[in-house]
Amino acid sequence: MIVGLEIDGAGADPAAWRGAEVDPRAILTGALAVRAAQRAEAAGVDLVTFADALEAPEDVPEQVSVRLDALGLAARVAPATERIGLLPAITVTHTEPFHVQASVATLDHISGGRAGWVADVSTSAAAAEVVGRRQPVPVAETWREARYVVDVSRRLWDSWEDDAIVRDAATGRYVDRERLHYVDFVSPTFSVKGPSIVPRPPQGHPVTAIRVNTPAALEAARDADLVLLPDSEDVAAQIQALRANQRQSAAGGRSVGGGQSAGGGRSVGGGQNVGSARSVGVTADAAGRAVSVTPDSASPDQGSRPGVRPPESDTADRVAGVSRSGPVVLVSVGVRPHVDGVDGLVAAVEEWVAAGVDGVHLRPGSLELDVPVIADELLPRLRELGLVGAAERGGSLRGRLGLGRPRNTFSGSAR
Amino acid sequence: MTKQIHLAAHFPGVNNTTVWSDPASGSQIDFASFRKLAETAERGTFDFFFLAEGLRLREVKGRIHDLDVVGRPESLTVLSALAAVTTHLGLAATVNSTFNEPYELAKRLATLDHVSGGRAAWNVVTSWDAFTGENFRRGGYLDKSDRYVRAQESLRIVRKLWDSWTGDDLVLDQASGSFAREGAGAFADAGPHFDIRGRFGLPPSPQGRPVIIQAGDSDEGREFAAAGADVIFSRHGTFAAGQTFYKDVKSRLAKYGRSDESLKIMPAVTVVVADTDAEAIEKAAYIREQQVSGPTALVLAELLWGRDLSAYDPDGPLPAEDPVVGSSVTQGRVGYNDPFPIVAEWRAQAEANGWSLRQTVINQQNRQTFVGSPTTVAEAVNRHVQENAADGFVLVPHLTPGGLDDFVDRVIPLLREYGVFRSEYSGTTLRDHLGLSR
Ligand SMILES: Cc1cc2nc3c(=O)[nH]c(=O)nc-3n(C[C@H](O)[C@H](O)[C@H](O)COP(=O)(O)O)c2cc1C
């Protein structure tokens, strides 16, 4: 199973910063985050997420009312770690999609393929007012737009083929421009020409995570590589729903050779108003794994809405060699093991695993007090139970999550 | 008192300065390259490390320009990572003010400033064109004449947010439980481009606020710099042009109530160092040949002429046609407002020296500013600064990441001997290095 950890200030407990073990200044320098990530990495934790929102934290007495930009903090942590995945929260409602994808691609470059992002939306008036570009947007609409942002990000990451930089001294060409692609993306609220300004990130697609906090987010989570699901009565049902969606798509596809377009693809609509569906197929290879299928470019709807590419598609649409079906699902829970001990948590983890989760996303009350307990007690227990692997495991974040390296949508398209 | 020299290292990017085909040229993308050059700059006790930005890949005649370095990682993210592997070096990010929102800029830059302990700088650039705008929500909505209006308002607001916390707003009293004074960071502003309010969630960093750099050359650009920048990154690296620019910009400061020392002028320059002057001159000529291949000469001539010149032989004579003003043959790079006198000069020089088109480009552009033995270079650098052609320089190496090794190992020791450049950092923030007040 996968173990993730949330970094937010001094921890999820609003009073965590008051502990004698905490130097509150270290929240601002990033030192607290670096230490937590290093401890987690040494213990074999797979990834850390960095909490953020566009607007400042609430100005409440006794609480940490400051917050570093999660992306900058993740970048600061990157050279100080070697194996752990780094996923800053990035809100997309008011931020330019082109900047978002360039930053995440850059985080992937500087971390050697360990980057992802927790795509989030801003629905508050406070967030709208700090930028002042648009009115607050209803939650369902923000997520609909976020799905377009996720989609265009992946297209922009693909806008450079892996081997676009040729450095061919004989012809004087640094790049082969036939391997660079305009994305010409048009959505109801924005458009992007492309290509990206950043060469394709090492992982192809850095990991896109979505934290489920509303029904609309759950809907959008179908596009994610990684889903952070709150603990609830019906975790098992929610996971099934996320997976069923995937199975359904697998069943709709016709079995053809790996990587080929499938004629019998199901029509994916989803989401109101997103407009035309496009025909995609997801097929299974002989071993029952999902294999990549190129979106059917001959879809009749595309002709009627040139340039509009609905983001309704499952990850597997573009992912070759995916070894699991559906997004990786982690149950996200607030924990205080330095107070509560780890027995209860171990028991809970076993239950979640039985319910079908792929792992846990722990939000420690105090980074300084709880992360050592997670590292020194929880992970060894889970390792004994055969639930987590060796601490030395490295490689790309996608690799750790069992996600294949995505095929490039544009690969070979212009040649 | 002898003026102290300021130095910055530029990670070379998408101009033809970079000789990417050289066997000694490393990756333009890998973090290891950025780290290596930054470490060299820090070993040389440079003031700061500089990253440029482009928000759309350059095009020539509707196709992506492929002869120079294309693509690069995004500045602020790279610099936040470099904060982890350096301790004193300033970290300067070029970020456009047209295609960003001031609140987001303030937050990202303040984060860099905090995680680096007060070493951040913002180079405010103002591309406004519709070509770049096609990558953004608002498109090319800004008129050219408004680029500095928006930049001015952005900078004013960004500063307002950075200043929205006062001295003792950050309390950090664990016993009483007061993290910050309630209400700290509150802001509101309304102007022609922005109408915003809320709370800014980061207190001032150890240097108070990030350093502001400006890199435009027009009259508006110079005025913008005189009004509010701490550093100008200029293109006037030669002695005479440097002095003229220096005088012009510094003379604008008084009306903003500013002293000459409050604005440092740092032209972009290239340096070629070898054992002897003769060797350095030979090496420089070789580098220029590498920088300006036949196809590159044509592209550079097309930028000046504003015409498709692909029918011309770069080893033949200069094009006979007149230049076209404001053409879009080349997109995504700064063109010439008035190409006629430059074309006339090129023609005169080509005729007098019997140069081909390529030879003319080589001789009229891409000339290294400082060429010679370590002593020759150190003396020239120092003379430019002492005689007010500059306050220092942004060094643009032609190789990544080893291109500044010679300068740091052989020229810096001489500047230190002359007593015009630090041997060790006297402070920890970029403002300390630049001698700027907080
Ligand atoms: C030395 C120098 C370096 C520059 N570097 C950049 C850059 O990295 N990115 C960018 O978008 N613009 C860059 N510019 C362009 C300017 O910031 C500015 O947008 C442009 O020159 C138009 O302003 P102006 O009319 O005042 O010159 C640079 C300009 C100069 C003079």
Side-chain angles (χ1 to χ4, degrees):
Chain A
M1 58 173 268
I2 304 296
V3 181
L5 188 80
E6 168 103 326
I7 289 179
D8 184 10
D13 177 349
W17 71 274
R18 298 183 62 179
E21 68 289 342
V22 175
D23 171 6
R25 240 168 297 269
I27 297 171
L28 280 164
T29 62
L32 213 58
V34 168
R35 190 154 55 236
Q38 287 175 333
R39 279 175 174 158
E41 175 173 273
V45 170
D46 297 284
L47 58 95
V48 284
T49 57
F50 299 84
D52 204 359
L54 183 64
E55 66 277 27
E58 262 190 284
D59 186 16
V60 176
E62 303 191 13
Q63 296 191 14
V64 176
S65 57
V66 305
R67 182 147 58 197
L68 295 167
D69 177 63
L71 180 72
L73 184 57
R76 166 67 184 80
V77 170
T81 53
E82 286 169 14
R83 300 185 301 275
I84 201 161
L86 306 168
L87 296 94
I90 303 181
T91 56
V92 301
T93 307
H94 301 283
T95 303
E96 288 286 355
F98 192 79
H99 291 320
V100 169
Q101 65 80 29
S103 303
V104 176
T106 299
L107 185 63
D108 206 40
H109 280 289
I110 64 173
S111 66
R114 294 185 283 132
W117 61 308
V118 182
D120 206 350
V121 299
S122 301
T123 52
S124 72
E129 284 175 357
V130 295
V131 169
R133 190 172 52 78
R134 67 204 288 200
Q135 296 296 311
V137 185
V139 61
E141 252 168 68
T142 58
W143 277 109
R144 203 171 302 135
E145 184 184 52
R147 298 176 76 174
Y148 283 108
V149 177
V150 168
D151 192 22
V152 78
S153 296
R154 288 177 173 147
R155 286 170 196 277
L156 285 161
W157 294 330
D158 283 349
S159 67
W160 288 63
E161 294 186 35
D162 287 316
D163 52 1
I165 297 176
V166 292
R167 296 176 76 128
D168 182 12
T171 58
R173 294 171 313 139
Y174 178 81
V175 292
D176 175 357
R177 57 187 166 202
E178 303 301 327
R179 298 180 216 181
L180 297 179
H181 305 277
Y182 297 100
V183 299
D184 284 322
F185 188 92
V186 182
S187 86
T189 51
F190 67 89
S191 62
V192 178
K193 177 76 182 173
S196 177
I197 47 165
V198 184
R200 194 163 195 247
Q203 295 183 97
H205 297 175
V207 171
T208 298
I210 287 180
R211 178 199 299 278
V212 173
N213 40 21
T214 58
L218 182 62
E219 177 79 9
R222 299 194 299 160
D223 297 343
D225 303 310
L226 177 70
V227 179
L228 308 176
L229 208 59
D231 184 21
S232 68
E233 299 282 289
D234 59 349
V235 160
Q238 289 188 346
I239 293 167
Q240 263 178 357
L242 281 161
R243 296 257 159 78
N245 176 54
Q246 212 78 26
R247 266 198 304 279
Q248 188 193 344
S249 51
R254 196 179 62 197
S255 186
V256 293
Q260 298 303 303
S261 174
R266 79 191 165 98
S267 204
V268 201
Q272 322 82 302
N273 256 348
V274 181
S276 57
R278 91 191 131 108
S279 177
V280 293
V282 177
T283 66
D285 69 8
R289 290 175 309 201
V291 296
S292 90
V293 169
T294 314
D296 183 0
S297 55
S299 169
D301 292 306
Q302 285 208 332
S304 60
R305 294 186 59 179
V308 179
R309 303 169 195 260
E312 317 314 311
S313 57
D314 305 310
T315 310
D317 290 358
R318 303 183 203 87
V319 176
V322 174
S323 54
R324 61 171 81 240
S325 72
V328 175
V329 183
L330 309 186
V331 169
S332 183
V333 282
V335 295
R336 299 181 311 161
H338 86 277
V339 178
D340 303 332
V342 299
D343 291 349
L345 196 47
V346 171
V349 166
E350 289 187 291
E351 270 177 44
W352 288 320
V353 169
V357 306
D358 300 302
V360 289
H361 176 241
L362 306 173
R363 292 181 276 114
S366 161
L367 293 179
E368 288 286 81
L369 296 177
D370 289 315
V371 176
V373 181
I374 290 168
D376 301 339
E377 298 178 37
L378 178 66
L379 278 146
R381 289 277 295 281
L382 297 176
R383 196 163 289 123
E384 265 168 42
L385 293 168
L387 289 172
V388 303
E392 302 75 43
R393 251 164 13 104
S396 73
L397 177 57
R398 291 193 81 88
R400 277 185 100 116
L401 296 176
L403 300 168
R405 194 170 189 281
R407 217 177 72 91
N408 191 319
T409 332
F410 295 103
S411 183
S413 66
R415 278 177 290 163
Chain B
M1 189 188 136
T2 327
K3 264 174 90 182
Q4 292 294 301
I5 296 172
H6 297 284
L7 291 173
H10 187 305
F11 189 95
V14 303
N15 290 305
N16 69 314
T17 313
T18 315
V19 183
W20 53 261
S21 56
D22 192 292
S25 166
S27 172
Q28 301 290 321
I29 312 297
D30 289 352
F31 182 63
S33 290
F34 291 87
R35 179 177 184 156
K36 173 77 191 3
L37 190 67
E39 285 170 349
T40 304
E42 189 159 74
R43 178 160 55 83
T45 58
F46 279 40
D47 294 46
F48 60 93
F49 183 81
F50 183 92
L51 293 179
E53 177 193 67
L55 294 175
R56 183 155 172 195
L57 303 186
R58 296 172 168 196
E59 286 183 3
V60 177
K61 288 170 280 179
R63 306 184 70 197
I64 289 165
H65 178 59
D66 58 1
L67 302 176
D68 299 323
V69 170
V70 180
R72 50 193 155 188
E74 174 265 311
S75 303
L76 280 167
T77 305
V78 172
L79 294 173
S80 298
L82 287 175
V85 296
T86 53
T87 56
H88 288 73
L89 189 64
L91 303 165
T94 299
V95 191
N96 181 287
S97 60
T98 302
F99 300 107
N100 284 283
E101 301 297 331
Y103 173 84
E104 293 182 294
L105 283 171
K107 184 179 172 189
R108 294 199 69 196
L109 286 156
T111 295
L112 174 62
D113 212 24
H114 277 285
V115 301
S116 66
R119 298 188 275 139
W122 174 24
N123 176 32
V124 187
V125 293
T126 56
S127 302
W128 69 92
D129 53 290
F131 175 76
T132 308
E134 282 188 310
N135 282 333
F136 297 96
R137 289 177 188 262
R138 284 175 157 175
Y141 67 99
L142 206 57
D143 196 70
K144 183 177 180 191
S145 61
D146 279 341
R147 70 198 187 288
Y148 281 108
V149 177
R150 181 171 162 118
Q152 192 73 257
E153 200 178 331
S154 291
L155 179 57
R156 185 176 57 73
I157 292 174
V158 165
R159 282 205 164 126
K160 188 174 202 172
L161 302 194
W162 288 338
D163 293 346
S164 63
W165 290 63
T166 55
D168 39 13
D169 281 350
L170 190 66
V171 183
L172 302 182
D173 185 341
Q174 290 172 300
S176 73
S178 174
F179 191 90
R181 186 184 63 76
E182 250 187 291
F187 68 86
D189 200 284
H193 286 274
F194 308 101
D195 182 359
I196 63 175
R197 68 197 56 79
R199 198 175 82 80
F200 187 63
L202 282 166
S205 75
Q207 70 171 341
R209 45 159 120 112
V211 165
I212 299 300
I213 306 175
Q214 187 273 353
D217 203 35
S218 61
D219 188 60
E220 298 107 295
R222 294 175 189 205
E223 211 56 41
F224 173 77
D230 300 306
V231 175
I232 294 188
F233 177 34
S234 100
R235 58 166 72 112
H236 305 286
T238 60
F239 190 75
Q243 278 190 328
T244 307
F245 181 78
Y246 194 96
K247 219 171 165 176
D248 173 83
V249 175
K250 298 258 174 170
S251 73
R252 297 172 191 246
L253 289 169
K255 68 168 163 292
Y256 300 102
R258 301 183 63 191
S259 71
D260 279 9
E261 295 71 43
S262 67
L263 178 64
K264 308 296 180 199
I265 296 177
M266 299 178 66
V269 293
T270 55
V271 178
V272 179
V273 186
D275 289 344
T276 64
D277 286 352
E279 268 176 61
I281 287 165
E282 199 175 308
K283 187 171 159 191
Y286 172 77
I287 292 169
R288 282 210 294 280
E289 291 253 318
Q290 305 300 301
Q291 288 168 328
V292 187
S293 65
T296 293
L298 280 181
V299 167
L300 292 172
E302 282 171 338
L303 180 65
L304 175 59
W305 260 269
R307 287 177 179 275
D308 177 0
L309 301 177
S310 50
Y312 282 85
D313 175 3
D315 296 317
L318 269 55
E321 294 108 313
D322 282 338
V324 179
V325 179
S327 96
S328 59
V329 161
T330 308
Q331 297 256 42
R333 62 208 291 173
V334 181
Y336 297 84
N337 289 330
D338 182 10
F340 289 91
I342 303 169
V343 165
E345 170 69 12
W346 282 27
R347 288 201 173 115
Q349 291 292 332
E351 178 142 4
N353 296 290
W355 288 336
S356 67
L357 174 56
R358 180 172 171 218
Q359 285 168 323
T360 308
V361 175
I362 286 175
N363 283 289
Q364 292 294 308
Q365 296 192 320
N366 292 91
R367 302 199 65 128
Q368 291 85 354
T369 319
F370 298 111
V371 179
S373 68
T375 309
T376 301
V377 169
E379 283 173 354
V381 165
N382 192 35
R383 173 172 169 251
H384 278 238
V385 172
Q386 302 310 332
E387 296 181 27
N388 291 339
D391 292 312
F393 296 98
V394 178
L395 304 182
V396 191
H398 76 282
L399 289 180
T400 310
L404 288 180
D405 293 357
D406 281 346
F407 188 89
V408 168
D409 294 335
R410 308 182 68 180
V411 179
I412 293 271
L414 296 173
L415 296 176
R416 287 172 177 162
E417 263 176 41
Y418 305 162
V420 294
F421 191 64
R422 68 176 74 83
S423 298
E424 50 190 61
Y425 291 105
S426 56
T428 56
T429 70
L430 177 54
R431 280 185 188 278
D432 293 337
H433 309 337
L434 290 167
L436 299 168
S437 57
R438 280 200 38 174

